[in-house]
Amino acid sequence: MQAFLAGAVLLVCLSLSLIGGVQPPRLRTRRLAPEFSAGAPLAVGFGSWVMWVLMFTALKVGFTGTRNIGISVALLVLCVLVARPMVRMAAPARLEARRTLVAARAVGLCCVVTAVMALMPTRIGNEAMAGLAVVYATTAAVLGLLRAVDHGYFPLVLLWSALQKALLAAVTGYWIDHAGATLVPDPDHATAGALLLAVLWWSTVALSAGSAVAAAVRLVPWLRSGPPADPAPPGVKSWPPAVGDVWTAELTHDDNNFKERPVLVLEHTPGFVRVLGVTSVDKSDRRRGYLKLRSSEWEGVLKKDSWLNLEIAHIPYCDFLWRHGECPDRVWDLLCAEADVRERSAKAGPNPGFTFRHRLRSAMNGHVGRDARGVRARATPSARVAGGVRGE
């Protein structure tokens, strides 16, 4: 009974990996993750049943003789066609146009499932529920890992998820051992239940280990040079930020305060994006370093007259939030031909937000600096009055 409960827990964990794996965006109120799918386990369950029927028949027919080889190959091709929509369901929307990648993943999924089925004793394949459970566990582990890699943008968040699965595997492994079962059963003598339990446990271990490796591979360059441009941060619909586009981003200032501001994208680099910041604060007295933007010319992009800071700022990819629209051609031509666009002064030091602790914190989907809105909200009434007096 205890082994049965442990298997049920592992099955639920594998099923949740098909639903989850979507990290929350930094601003949950504005950035959504539409790939969340509660019906994925049911769809994968049905697809696993079809895959089991096709693979079991192909393995029964065998690969001896020209006729049998043709039948088996046709069945495996049908299996790939069944696996493709399941792979597409687990993938993010941005991979919809990359049909070759999705097809390659479907082929890889079928190869893994076929290998596991071939290693199972014949009596397991003959039992519908047992064969379905084996195919479902293997499929859920592979798709869960792909989902974690595709959606796991923040490496330390992905690593924490992998550690949670590893802890679950350790607890259930001890539970199974305490119940008198084994995690490495002899295929020739073990019961069907023992084999299924081992497949569920090893699938969970593989999912945890694969997620941990993906997190480590992504974490090293993140800490060395900053957040990558690929994959896209969770919640964004258009990626990457195109040159000439206006986005809202978290712009960190020299005082370590950060605020959501519109920015105009100038250039991509491997570790950050070069932008010009937009502010609604009147800069009429500082015309040399700013360019006035009239809202009538930026319809649908800016809500009111603003000013474009002509000093280039560097922003990590993870700090981009959502897209507003495109820069008007006249303004872009002016920036390219006449405007005094300049780099950040060397005396000002490196751009804020690029220290090691900032990169480490951003890998956790956090920010080292202070939210400018929170700083204003925490200001005392006396401080606000004093500030108003000084402003006058």
Side-chain angles (χ1 to χ4, degrees), residues 86-166:
M86 292 194 292
V87 171
R88 181 63 193 87
M89 178 179 294
R94 66 178 184 276
L95 296 184
E96 183 175 356
R98 302 180 64 178
R99 299 180 179 179
T100 303
L101 176 61
V102 174
R105 289 183 173 186
V107 172
L109 172 61
C110 290
C111 291
V112 173
V113 175
T114 303
V116 173
M117 286 289 293
L119 293 174
M120 291 291 101
T122 306
R123 65 179 185 278
I124 296 295
N126 289 332
E127 298 179 11
M129 293 304 298
L132 173 59
V134 170
V135 175
Y136 181 84
T138 307
T139 302
V142 174
L143 294 182
L145 179 58
L146 291 175
R147 191 172 178 86
V149 171
D150 289 334
H151 296 275
Y153 181 77
F154 302 101
L156 288 181
V157 178
L158 178 58
L159 182 60
W160 174 240
S161 176
L163 292 177
Q164 289 177 320
K165 292 180 176 63

Side-chain angles (χ1 to χ4, degrees), residues 371-381 384:
D371 191 335
R373 297 169 303 176
V375 172
R376 290 198 304 271
R378 289 193 299 270
T380 61
R384 287 196 294 268

Side-chain angles (χ1 to χ4, degrees), residues 34-304:
E35 292 85 4
F36 185 86
S37 177
L42 294 177
V44 173
F46 177 77
S48 298
W49 178 79
V50 177
M51 289 176 64
W52 168 76
V53 171
L54 296 173
M55 288 183 177
F56 175 70
T57 306
L59 293 175
K60 275 292 186 180
V61 172
F63 293 88
T64 58
T66 305
R67 180 172 177 274
N68 290 348
I69 291 177
I71 294 175
S72 298
V73 170
L75 291 173
L76 292 179
V77 170
L78 290 175
C79 189
V80 172
L81 295 178
V82 172
R84 190 183 183 283
M86 292 194 292
V87 171
R88 181 63 193 87
M89 178 179 294
R94 66 178 184 276
L95 296 184
E96 183 175 356
R98 302 180 64 178
R99 299 180 179 179
T100 303
L101 176 61
V102 174
R105 289 183 173 186
V107 172
L109 172 61
C110 290
C111 291
V112 173
V113 175
T114 303
V116 173
M117 286 289 293
L119 293 174
M120 291 291 101
T122 306
R123 65 179 185 278
I124 296 295
N126 289 332
E127 298 179 11
M129 293 304 298
L132 173 59
V134 170
V135 175
Y136 181 84
T138 307
T139 302
V142 174
L143 294 182
L145 179 58
L146 291 175
R147 191 172 178 86
V149 171
D150 289 334
H151 296 275
Y153 181 77
F154 302 101
L156 288 181
V157 178
L158 178 58
L159 182 60
W160 174 240
S161 176
L163 292 177
Q164 289 177 320
K165 292 180 176 63
L167 179 61
L168 176 64
V171 171
T172 52
Y174 174 80
W175 192 358
I176 292 170
D177 182 71
H178 183 72
T182 177
L183 298 175
V184 190
D186 183 359
D188 296 327
H189 301 92
T191 63
L195 290 172
L196 289 177
L197 190 61
V199 169
L200 289 171
W201 190 82
W202 283 108
S203 296
T204 305
V205 171
L207 176 60
S208 172
S211 300
V213 170
V217 169
R218 192 164 295 166
L219 180 62
V220 172
W222 185 299
L223 296 181
R224 182 185 299 134
S225 57
D230 187 55
V236 295
K237 296 181 179 180
S238 174
W239 193 259
V243 174
D245 278 357
V246 176
W247 281 65
T248 287
E250 292 180 357
L251 188 59
T252 305
H253 301 286
D254 290 328
D255 58 0
N256 217 26
N257 288 335
F258 66 91
K259 185 179 180 181
E260 302 163 25
R261 288 193 180 280
V263 296
L264 175 60
V265 178
L266 293 182
E267 183 185 7
H268 298 144
T269 72
F272 57 87
V273 181
R274 292 153 55 91
V275 303
L276 297 178
V278 178
T279 179
S280 59
V281 178
D282 186 10
K283 299 293 182 179
S284 301
D285 56 338
R286 300 176 61 183
R287 288 184 176 273
R288 183 178 179 183
Y290 290 86
L291 177 67
K292 187 170 184 179
L293 309 177
R294 300 188 181 279
S295 58
S296 58
E297 191 176 11
W298 293 72
E299 186 176 357
V301 180
L302 299 177
K303 296 181 179 179
K304 54 185 176 180

